Amino acid sequence: MDAGPRGPRSGLAAVSTALLAMSRRLEVRDVLRTIVASARELLDAEYAALGVPDDHGGFAQFVVDGISEERWRAIGPLPRQHGILAAMLHQDAPERLADVRKDPRFEGWPAAHPDMSDFLGLPIRDGEETLGALFLANKRGPHGFTDEDEDLLSLLAQHAAIALTNARLYERSRELTIAEERSRLAHELHDAVSQKLFSLRLTAQAAAALVDRDPARAKDELQQVATLAAEAADELRAAVTELRPAALDEDGLIATLRGQVRVLDRAHTAQVTFTCDGVRALPAAQEEAVLRVAQEALHNALRHSQGERIEVTLTRRETGGAVLRVTDDGAGFSPPTVRRAGRHLGLVSMRDRAAGVGGRLTVRSEPGTGTTIELEVPGG
């Protein structure tokens, strides 16, 4: 629907809203989507897209707005850097066309691609580096894109470059934090159990030497082995429990879960999705319990279920707190198998984490119907 003409005040407010929306996003994918949606709304276009180039002649990411999911799937693989798309990546000035289909560079558009006529595109640049190319098509109204639209998109692209650069720096900083956390974890675990394991090895060797000539002393040494092993396990568990994931402190539960699900979705053949409804933040202990249970449940589903789809949902309880569900459409198993395999599948650990924050863990599974792990935690 045509938004109608905008006056100076309403136009300035729209620009301000778009720039604020971009600056509030931290992850690159979210920034890309915000840029595309803001550009399409601001310039009143039917379609908008933003492509981020890779190093192999294609696009590493290509975000669209105004095209349905069904149409986008029908279009097929991400486009290559050719024709009019390549032009946007290799020139500084905007490109405005009354009918893109008549341009000699117009080529290679899939059959399922929507019809496009008037076109406006330009690169998003940070100094000499081209971060992406922004495209708009089919201006609503009879006159196509204008000089004012071109100026407005250029302004938007300058701020988009800042937002994208900041998002990249944020993600790199987070990766560095994760690497540092892993290193610290390695040191913590080494300090916590290495001495115990050394004593355990020496005691076991002593027991082996005494088995034939002094069975009674060998028995005492073996009892000491059992004691040392239990102490080592306790110290290992304590060390791991005390290490709160750095991403939780920096990003919060929802962003951390969304990021981890996105990584798993890319790394595995199963489709892994995350949705959140009404949950904003939880106390620190609850957030860590939810994250750890989600990680364990996802690990089990990816490793054992053989399912094609795994759904992670986080919803708000009416009485406060949240409910986490990890559901797969895999093989499932019978309740007796669940009880026997409880320790193998990490269910004991998940139940302990639930109980530790006053929550409740429920496991529902039947052969052939998949599995649902549900964790309900209070709000505070």
Side-chain angles (χ1 to χ4, degrees):
M1 185 173 65
D2 194 341
R6 290 189 298 266
R9 182 177 297 275
S10 62
L12 182 60
V15 173
S16 176
T17 300
L19 299 185
L20 284 173
M22 286 190 296
S23 67
R24 286 171 179 159
R25 300 298 186 269
L26 291 176
E27 296 190 4
V28 170
R29 187 75 179 179
D30 291 338
V31 170
L32 295 175
R33 288 173 175 160
T34 304
I35 293 169
V36 171
S38 298
R40 177 173 169 247
E41 181 179 0
L42 201 58
L43 275 69
D44 201 20
E46 190 173 357
Y47 304 112
L50 197 166
V52 176
D54 62 16
D55 298 325
H56 310 288
F59 286 96
Q61 294 173 294
F62 201 87
V63 179
V64 298
D65 195 60
I67 297 177
S68 68
E69 288 288 340
E70 292 76 16
R71 174 68 71 90
W72 182 239
R73 284 194 293 268
I75 289 174
L78 294 183
R80 307 293 294 175
Q81 295 178 28
H82 56 64
I84 195 70
L85 302 186
M88 297 300 95
L89 294 170
H90 301 292
Q91 65 185 45
D92 296 330
E95 184 82 42
R96 179 154 48 109
L97 303 170
D99 191 339
V100 68
R101 296 165 297 184
K102 296 179 181 179
D103 190 278
R105 298 165 296 179
F106 182 78
E107 61 180 48
W109 293 73
H113 201 285
D115 289 333
M116 293 186 174
S117 54
D118 48 322
F119 174 92
L120 177 62
L122 81 170
I124 297 175
R125 299 176 66 87
D126 179 23
E128 297 298 318
E129 181 184 6
T130 298
L131 304 179
L134 184 58
F135 318 97
L136 295 168
N138 295 17
K139 170 84 171 181
R140 292 189 175 96
H143 304 301
F145 293 107
T146 64
D147 291 341
E148 180 185 3
D149 291 328
E150 191 173 307
D151 292 340
L152 199 55
L153 193 62
S154 297
L155 174 64
L156 193 70
Q158 294 174 33
H159 287 271
I162 297 171
L164 267 177
T165 301
N166 288 340
R168 284 181 169 184
L169 291 173
Y170 167 78
E171 290 194 351
R172 289 169 186 167
S173 172
R174 189 172 60 180
E175 289 170 5
L176 179 60
T177 300
I178 292 171
E180 291 173 347
E181 180 72 6
R182 286 175 177 168
S183 177
R184 189 173 75 87
L185 174 61
H187 286 298
E188 289 279 354
L189 297 180
H190 179 271
D191 293 342
V193 300
S194 62
Q195 198 64 37
K196 278 287 188 300
L197 292 177
F198 180 69
S199 299
L200 186 62
R201 185 178 65 180
L202 292 181
T203 306
Q205 290 172 347
L210 290 169
V211 165
D212 293 328
R213 57 189 175 88
D214 195 341
R217 284 188 59 194
K219 183 178 179 180
D220 291 340
E221 294 293 335
L222 288 174
Q223 289 177 343
Q224 181 65 15
V225 166
T227 300
L228 288 170
E231 291 176 357
D234 288 342
E235 291 192 15
L236 177 61
R237 189 179 301 110
V240 172
T241 301
E242 290 172 3
L243 292 173
R244 175 174 163 83
L248 277 180
D249 292 324
E250 293 187 5
D251 304 335
L253 174 64
I254 297 166
T256 301
L257 270 176
R258 182 177 289 116
Q260 294 194 4
V261 165
R262 186 180 297 124
V263 170
L264 292 174
D265 182 52
R266 289 198 299 260
H268 295 270
T269 56
Q271 182 183 12
V272 189
T273 62
F274 172 71
T275 57
C276 179
D277 182 15
V279 179
R280 294 183 178 272
L282 295 169
Q286 274 85 334
E287 288 203 342
E288 184 170 353
V290 170
L291 177 63
R292 296 300 195 192
V293 169
Q295 289 172 328
E296 186 70 40
L298 281 167
H299 172 79
N300 290 340
L302 289 167
R303 185 174 182 181
H304 302 294
S305 77
Q306 300 176 337
E308 296 180 354
R309 182 176 177 83
I310 302 168
E311 297 178 351
V312 181
T313 62
L314 190 64
T315 56
R316 184 173 64 87
R317 296 169 71 216
E318 291 185 2
T319 56
V323 178
L324 167 78
R325 292 185 186 89
V326 181
T327 303
D328 67 69
D329 61 355
F333 36 71
S334 63
T337 305
V338 173
R339 287 191 290 271
R340 288 196 299 271
R343 187 168 297 278
H344 174 63
L345 295 177
L347 296 180
V348 173
S349 172
M350 287 192 279
R351 287 197 172 97
D352 287 346
R353 289 192 180 279
V357 295
R360 180 179 62 185
L361 186 85
T362 305
V363 180
R364 294 190 294 273
S365 185
E366 292 293 338
T369 63
T371 301
T372 296
I373 304 291
E374 182 177 290
L375 171 65
E376 189 173 358
V377 296

